[in-house]
Amino acid sequence: MNTNRLSKKLNDALNAQMTNEAHASQIYLSFGSWASEKGYDGIANFLFRHAEEERNHMMKFIEYILERGGKVKITAIAAPGPDPANVNDCFEKFLKAEIDNTNEIYKIVKLSFDEQDWATWNFMQWFVKEQIEEETLALNLMSKMKIAGGEHAKDDALYLIDKEVAGMDDAKSAEAATAANP
Ligand code: FEO
């Protein structure tokens, strides 16, 4: 008897998204390292915590696939790409990564809807909500950068941004994240 409650298409899509979350984690580890090297310790701390949050998202997909009797396939993770050119570029890339991720999440929501796999559709709603939070967070970073002068922000403004990002609530709450409650 087939005990896999996921269609091949959905199993593959969930696996691919699991790898996307791991890729996002690698991107934020890379950006966090860049920020730390540049002396932006608050931004680095925020990005390292966010990298951990993405790992928890990855685990959430693994747990769900296994729960449904599916097959988890761990693959290589693509390299994160070049370092940001500056803090503005770093936050822009953060926003872009989150929007790209939202679009991938939506594709799985659509697929689960088309297949009438309501368990997966329900599981994915957590990510739909999470992506609203993640995009809001990224947009807030962009707003702060805009006030600070965007890509032309001076050192004193960047110093203040770094301090502020270090104290952001999302950075603190990410610390307490677990796979069950990312
Ligand atoms: Fe897992 Fe930042 O989305």
Side-chain angles (χ1 to χ4, degrees):
M1 182 184 170
N2 179 19
T3 53
N4 187 344
R5 301 285 290 128
L6 299 167
S7 71
K8 163 109 180 54
K9 238 175 157 178
L10 262 179
N11 196 148
D12 288 350
L14 290 164
N15 249 307
Q17 185 56 29
M18 179 265 290
T19 309
N20 287 343
E21 302 288 349
H23 184 231
S25 182
Q26 297 294 88
I27 292 174
Y28 301 149
L29 281 180
S30 142
F31 287 6
S33 301
W34 167 83
S36 182
E37 284 158 22
K38 297 287 174 193
Y40 303 122
D41 290 341
I43 295 170
N45 189 279
F46 166 80
L47 288 164
F48 286 146
R49 291 196 192 295
H50 213 81
E52 195 55 32
E53 197 167 337
E54 300 299 351
R55 291 281 298 181
N56 287 330
H57 293 172
M58 176 199 76
M59 279 308 302
K60 212 169 157 72
F61 278 100
I62 291 179
E63 284 169 2
Y64 179 72
I65 294 167
L66 293 174
E67 211 171 63
R68 301 300 288 157
K71 173 77 186 145
V72 171
K73 202 167 170 193
I74 304 295
T75 64
I77 305 168
D83 283 346
N86 49 46
V87 175
N88 189 68
D89 187 41
C90 177
F91 291 171
E92 268 182 12
K93 286 189 165 127
F94 182 87
L95 175 61
K96 185 183 179 310
E98 288 304 329
I99 291 174
D100 288 349
N101 200 43
T102 300
N103 290 335
E104 294 306 314
I105 296 281
Y106 286 177
K107 280 185 205 165
I108 303 178
V109 172
K110 173 149 190 343
L111 188 57
S112 63
F113 186 91
D114 290 346
E115 290 191 7
Q116 300 191 12
D117 178 341
W118 306 123
T120 301
W121 186 88
N122 184 57
F123 167 73
M124 292 306 296
Q125 295 311 303
W126 186 91
F127 283 95
V128 171
K129 191 163 168 279
E130 177 71 3
Q131 284 310 116
I132 298 173
E133 285 175 25
E134 304 252 298
E135 286 187 18
T136 301
L137 181 62
L139 288 166
N140 285 344
L141 291 173
M142 291 301 299
S143 300
K144 286 185 204 308
M145 267 318 291
K146 196 174 168 194
I147 294 166
E151 58 187 326
H152 305 296
K154 301 270 188 303
D155 283 350
D156 50 352
L158 290 171
Y159 177 82
L160 291 175
I161 291 248
D162 187 56
K163 288 270 161 289
E164 199 168 327
V165 171
M168 275 169 80
D169 277 351
D170 290 78
K172 283 183 205 138
S173 62
E175 194 177 6
T178 63
N181 186 23

